Amino acid sequence: MVLGELTKQFAQQAIGNQMKDVLDALRPADLSKISETVRTAKPTGAGQAENLCAAILGQVQAMQKAAKDDEELVVLFQSGAETIRVLEFFTPAWSVVVLTGIDTDRNITRVVSPIEALQLICKVMKVQPPAKPARVGFITPRPKQE
């Protein structure tokens, strides 16, 4: 019985260390080097896509805002074997989102997706000092000027 519990504990530690390694690989070394010039977007479309996009972005922003000073929101996007840590949401139109982030090899990666197909993994995690928490950026369409 004790041997079984010990084996289970070793397995949990191994999985935990592997997850920590993956998340550390997705942590930006210097967020300011990865960020690029903010672009302004031209709005297109409205209605249901706008509501869905606003709802998703609003939820992510609320989770980030609720994070404490020593915490950061980690947003992950996974497609097949590829996983990226999202550092910026750019919505050129309310129906389309462009995710900018880094992959496990620290390559800048972009994903273009219709908002209806977007699935994200979001978690608040403690940041180990002296590192500063990374913040996710948001660039949304400007409202129509009539």
Side-chain angles (χ1 to χ4, degrees):
M1 187 87 164
V2 173
L3 183 60
E5 290 178 23
L6 188 59
T7 303
K8 182 178 177 181
Q9 185 177 5
F10 285 142
Q12 287 175 338
Q13 287 176 349
I15 291 171
N17 289 341
Q18 186 178 12
M19 275 304 290
K20 184 181 180 309
D21 292 344
V22 168
L23 289 172
D24 286 345
L26 293 172
R27 179 163 177 55
D30 186 5
L31 189 58
S32 62
K33 289 182 182 177
I34 295 172
S35 296
E36 61 184 58
T37 307
V38 174
R39 298 176 295 268
T40 56
K42 295 180 182 178
T44 61
Q48 185 178 5
E50 180 177 348
N51 292 337
L52 182 59
C53 187
I56 291 172
L57 295 181
Q59 287 299 309
V60 175
Q61 288 173 328
M63 285 184 268
Q64 179 167 267
K65 187 176 180 180
K68 297 176 181 149
D69 290 340
D70 64 339
E71 297 175 333
E72 66 185 2
L73 180 66
V74 176
V75 180
L76 301 174
F77 174 84
Q78 187 170 7
S79 179
E82 188 75 31
T83 300
I84 70 165
R85 176 166 182 189
V86 179
L87 301 174
E88 179 181 84
F89 288 85
F90 170 58
T91 51
W94 286 113
S95 59
V96 176
V97 66
V98 179
L99 308 175
T100 303
I102 52 176
D103 65 9
T104 53
D105 295 326
R106 296 187 186 263
N107 297 314
I108 295 177
T109 307
R110 288 189 178 84
V111 175
V112 181
S113 174
I115 195 68
E116 296 85 10
L118 189 63
Q119 290 187 346
L120 303 170
I121 301 167
C122 303
K123 58 178 91 177
V124 176
M125 299 183 68
K126 294 276 186 193
V127 176
Q128 299 299 323
K132 298 206 183 304
R135 298 294 180 218
V136 178
F138 298 89
I139 305 169
T140 57
R142 290 185 179 175
K144 289 184 180 180
Q145 297 177 355
E146 296 177 23

